[in-house]
């Protein structure tokens, strides 16, 4: 078979992963592509950007787009920007994965479902299905949700345990258009190392500070230098108040040290080389409600 013949049967397209906050969208994308490009946290509303994860298998390239969870609380500029990102992604996708949590479907899930265009193939993904003790309740629950719209498939999965992810990928592939690949076969994301560095620091921030810290905190990479295999990363954590700053730094700087150590180790794994990381904490009140400021910090 010639290369042009092979490419004529190649499938490639964009797959939007949508759902309310904290249903496991980022974990699902990371496990599907086999690399950590989207940050995860038990704290809801961790993903803030449109993040692309790429996987190329044989005759298909899957371009996954992890979206922020659709925000139904607070109407500041940040949340309006996040919701605009979700709706723009939906209209530009070839396939949509609507992710819900097994056994749970509330008004926030319905709000996301109502946003999904009727003319795009949509797969219902029931995540965290391993947590349902009585498996007999899973089928009626799936049938109840499946009746809400004409889904192209219903797939219960556990992203964390990789349960049924191959089946899910098989269902997605059926609906990808015949296109040549958009990215190189070894690419795993279209995001820069600088962007990924900021996301890794933000993940550790939420992991170590948790619910104490308002989710409006963010991370800005002030300098990113590459010298051979070594990356030098200078990051600023932006918080809204002095009390938040002391939360992040912790007793005798221990918390900030933990954030830095874990972020540096994750970066070294992802970038495949040593990382020198310095982090400062800065107070910048009102940044999350300033449209111009949001664009300066990389929000679309």
């Amino acid at each position: 078979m010639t290369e042009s013949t092979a490419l004529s049967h190649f499938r490639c397209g964009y797959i939007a992963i949508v759902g309310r906050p904290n249903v496991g969208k980022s974990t699902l994308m990371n496990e599907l592509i086999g690399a950590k490009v989207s940050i995860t946290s038990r704290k809801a509303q961790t993903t803030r950007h449109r993040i692309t994860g790429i996987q190329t298998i044989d005759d298909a390239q899957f371009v996954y787009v992890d979206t922020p969870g659709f925000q139904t609380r607070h109407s500041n500029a940040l949340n309006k920007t996040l919701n605009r990102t979700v709706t723009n992604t939906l209209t530009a996708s070839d396939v949509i994965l609507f992710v819900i949590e097994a056994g749970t479907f509330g008004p926030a899930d319905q709000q996301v479902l109502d946003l999904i265009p009727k003319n795009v193939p949509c797969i219902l993904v029931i995540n965290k299905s391993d947590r349902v003790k009585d498996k007999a309740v899973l089928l009626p629950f799936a049938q109840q949700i499946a009746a809400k719209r004409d889904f192209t498939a219903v797939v219960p999965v556990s992203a964390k345990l990789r349960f049924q992810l191959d089946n899910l990928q098989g269902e997605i592939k059926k609906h990808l258009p015949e296109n040549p690949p958009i990215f190189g076969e070894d690419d795993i994301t279209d995001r820069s190392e600088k962007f990924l560095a900021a996301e890794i620091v933000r993940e550790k921030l939420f992991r170590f500070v948790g619910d104490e810290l308002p989710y409006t905190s963010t991370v800005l990479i002030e300098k990113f230098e590459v010298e051979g295999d070594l990356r030098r990363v200078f990051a600023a954590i932006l918080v809204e108040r002095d009390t938040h700053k002391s939360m992040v730094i912790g007793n005798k700087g221990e918390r900030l040290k933990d954030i830095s150590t874990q972020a540096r180790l994750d970066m070294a794994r992802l970038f495949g080389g040593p990382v020198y990381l310095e982090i400062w904490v800065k107070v910048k009140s009102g940044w999350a409600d300033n449209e111009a400021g949001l664009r300066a910090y990389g929000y679309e």
Side-chain angles (χ1 to χ4, degrees):
M1 188 187 290
T2 65
E3 190 178 342
S4 61
T5 310
L7 282 178
S8 70
H9 293 289
F10 198 91
R11 290 182 179 272
C12 175
Y14 284 88
I15 305 114
I17 305 175
V18 297
R20 65 170 167 79
N22 231 13
V23 291
K25 299 182 295 296
S26 298
T27 302
L28 177 64
M29 184 174 84
N30 290 339
E31 291 299 332
L32 282 165
I33 69 166
K36 186 172 182 176
V37 296
S38 193
I39 67 173
T40 62
S41 165
R42 286 192 301 275
K43 189 177 180 74
Q45 304 170 326
T46 303
T47 300
R48 293 217 187 126
H49 300 272
R50 179 183 179 278
I51 300 192
T52 302
I54 304 152
Q55 188 181 37
T56 307
I57 307 172
D58 301 328
D59 58 349
Q61 187 172 82
F62 301 80
V63 185
Y64 294 102
V65 184
D66 184 16
T67 60
F70 194 77
Q71 313 295 315
T72 56
R73 296 165 57 210
H74 316 301
S75 58
N76 62 14
L78 174 60
N79 280 354
K80 286 174 183 168
T81 301
L82 301 186
N83 287 349
R84 197 160 56 238
T85 299
V86 177
T87 49
N88 289 348
T89 302
L90 288 171
T91 54
S93 298
D94 298 296
V95 182
I96 295 168
L97 305 185
F98 174 52
V99 185
I100 62 171
E101 199 171 324
T104 307
F105 191 92
D109 297 286
Q110 186 64 53
Q111 265 185 296
V112 180
L113 184 58
D114 291 342
L115 290 174
I116 296 174
K118 294 282 189 277
N119 60 336
V120 181
C122 181
I123 297 171
L124 174 62
V125 180
I126 304 173
N127 193 22
K128 306 182 186 180
S129 58
D130 55 304
R131 293 188 187 177
V132 178
K133 299 273 189 288
D134 182 4
K135 300 302 181 203
V137 304
L138 200 54
L139 182 60
F141 171 75
Q143 289 172 331
Q144 175 198 341
I145 309 307
K148 293 180 180 291
R149 86 162 260 162
D150 186 16
F151 292 102
T152 55
V154 178
V155 187
V157 305
S158 167
K160 220 168 186 178
L161 301 180
R162 289 201 52 81
F163 171 67
Q164 289 243 96
L165 294 195
D166 289 344
N167 284 355
L168 175 59
Q169 211 144 31
E171 290 295 338
I172 295 166
K173 185 178 174 182
K174 291 178 190 173
H175 301 286
L176 291 181
E178 288 197 355
N179 280 324
I182 299 166
F183 300 98
E185 62 178 295
D186 295 326
D187 290 346
I188 57 168
T189 184
D190 65 343
R191 288 294 193 171
S192 68
E193 288 188 354
K194 181 179 173 181
F195 172 87
L196 294 171
E199 288 290 276
I200 287 169
V201 174
R202 199 161 60 81
E203 175 186 65
K204 302 312 171 195
L205 173 67
F206 286 151
R207 286 264 167 105
F208 282 98
V209 188
D211 293 331
E212 296 172 59
L213 191 69
Y215 89 103
T216 46
S217 309
T218 198
V219 174
L220 189 63
I221 301 298
E222 298 191 321
K223 200 156 55 162
F224 189 98
E225 300 171 340
V226 181
E227 298 171 15
D229 285 344
L230 172 68
R231 272 83 169 169
R232 293 184 186 276
V233 183
F234 301 85
I237 293 173
L238 304 184
V239 294
E240 298 224 301
R241 295 184 188 150
D242 285 317
T243 50
H244 301 159
K245 181 175 179 176
S246 55
M247 276 180 208
V248 174
I249 293 171
N251 186 30
K252 296 180 180 174
E254 283 300 311
R255 193 176 260 166
L256 184 58
K257 186 179 172 187
D258 288 340
I259 290 168
S260 300
T261 301
Q262 293 303 315
R264 184 176 53 77
L265 291 171
D266 262 18
M267 285 181 208
R269 267 193 292 272
L270 186 61
F271 302 152
V275 172
Y276 171 83
L277 173 64
E278 275 190 33
I279 302 178
W280 295 269
V281 185
K282 299 181 178 181
V283 178
K284 184 94 175 169
S285 57
W287 76 269
D289 211 10
N290 180 318
E291 290 271 5
L294 287 171
R295 284 192 292 278
Y297 298 141
Y299 291 90
E300 294 164 0

